Amino acid sequence: MDRVALAEFLRLRREAIKPADVGLPPGVRRRTAGLRREEVAQLTGMSVDYYGRLEQARSTQPSPQMLRALARTLRLTADEADHLYRLAGHAVPDRGGVSQHVRPALSFALDQMRDAAAFVCSDTYVVLAQNQLAKALNGDQVGKGTGLQASMAWQWFTDPAARQAAPEAERDEHSRTTVADLRAAWARRRNDADMRELVDGLLEHSPEFAELWASHEVAVRRMQRKTFLTRVGAITLDCEVLATTDGQSLVILAPPPGSSALEKLRLLAVVGDQAVGSSRSAVAD
């Protein structure tokens, strides 16, 4: 616990909140434009004496429940609330789920990519948006239903047809990478319903997944080279995963420099067909 930094952070955030922001009258004899200490204490549900000691850097460690109430009173953003927990010496709490809304900037980035396949997916491997090359390479994955069936990880481990677009020599590695990445996501928000449903379902329905899960390998997916079996032949691409702050990832499948992959991608787009078989999960990593 960093008492001095915590005290300074609380004071500055308190002074930045106007009384009207929390439904209080402005008053006529305020020394600061922000809230008074006693007002923060009252709104938070703690004693004025204890809050005063917090701002004087001489308090005991506040509980996670108290920090949650303080974050609400001081109108902290998610990043500011995380900072508050760290200053107080507590682990940052899990977030309550992942947004299914793709931010406009990500949608714009997808639309601008002409020579690379790209898509946005959640940490449960649900595709939320694709550009045209991604659809040509791997089929239209958006709107594949709800729940387990929408997850490319679920498809990969429960539907043999989902593996037909991946070379047999790469399938074991893809399985290991998917499970290791999913375990990292599970650790971040294992109490969320969608994550529990996916992992519990895979443990029940896929012996392969259960065996890999039991190995406890953890590795967030970032970059690898992947090959896709398509209507125009095998296409090898560099897969770069750019994580965002809300549990979504922007995945870019780019032609390696000096390769023939770009020409094949363009030809595939003209052919207008998806990869051999259903190819629903080869692009998941």
Side-chain angles (χ1 to χ4, degrees), residues 1-17 35 37 40 44 46 50-57 59 62 66-67 69-71 74 76 80 83-85 87-88:
M1 175 179 175
D2 189 333
R3 288 179 173 83
V4 174
L6 176 63
E8 184 177 5
F9 180 68
L10 288 174
R11 178 181 59 79
L12 290 173
R13 294 311 308 149
R14 173 176 60 82
E15 293 176 351
I17 300 295
L35 299 179
R37 287 180 180 176
V40 172
T44 305
M46 67 175 66
Y50 182 77
Y51 182 76
R53 293 201 306 272
L54 279 173
E55 283 203 10
Q56 293 164 6
S59 71
M66 190 172 292
L67 294 174
L70 274 171
L74 298 175
L76 300 184
E80 290 169 338
H83 184 61
L84 177 68
Y85 277 90
L87 291 179

Side-chain angles (χ1 to χ4, degrees), residues 172-191:
D172 287 346
E173 176 64 22
H174 178 84
S175 294
R176 287 193 298 270
T177 301
T178 300
V179 175
D181 178 68
L182 190 57
R183 183 170 273 283
W186 174 85
R188 292 191 297 270
R189 57 184 199 93
R190 55 188 165 188
N191 294 321

Side-chain angles (χ1 to χ4, degrees), residues 165-245:
E168 188 172 355
E170 295 184 8
R171 293 175 187 175
D172 287 346
E173 176 64 22
H174 178 84
S175 294
R176 287 193 298 270
T177 301
T178 300
V179 175
D181 178 68
L182 190 57
R183 183 170 273 283
W186 174 85
R188 292 191 297 270
R189 57 184 199 93
R190 55 188 165 188
N191 294 321
D192 291 347
D194 61 334
M195 184 64 71
R196 289 201 312 269
E197 181 185 30
L198 177 60
V199 172
D200 291 348
L202 286 171
L203 287 172
E204 180 180 356
H205 290 89
S206 172
E208 179 192 13
F209 179 88
E211 181 179 355
L212 291 170
W213 187 260
S215 70
H216 283 264
E217 291 186 19
V218 181
V220 177
R221 56 181 182 154
R222 291 187 176 89
M223 182 176 179
Q224 66 182 130
R225 183 160 289 185
K226 297 181 65 64
T227 299
F228 301 86
L229 305 179
T230 76
R231 181 83 175 268
V232 299
I235 304 178
T236 299
L237 300 168
D238 287 333
C239 178
E240 183 86 27
V241 182
L242 307 177
T244 67
T245 58

Side-chain angles (χ1 to χ4, degrees), residues 121-134:
C121 71
S122 71
D123 58 5
T124 53
Y125 287 73
V126 176
V127 175
L128 305 175
Q130 295 171 281
N131 70 357
Q132 290 303 313
L133 275 181

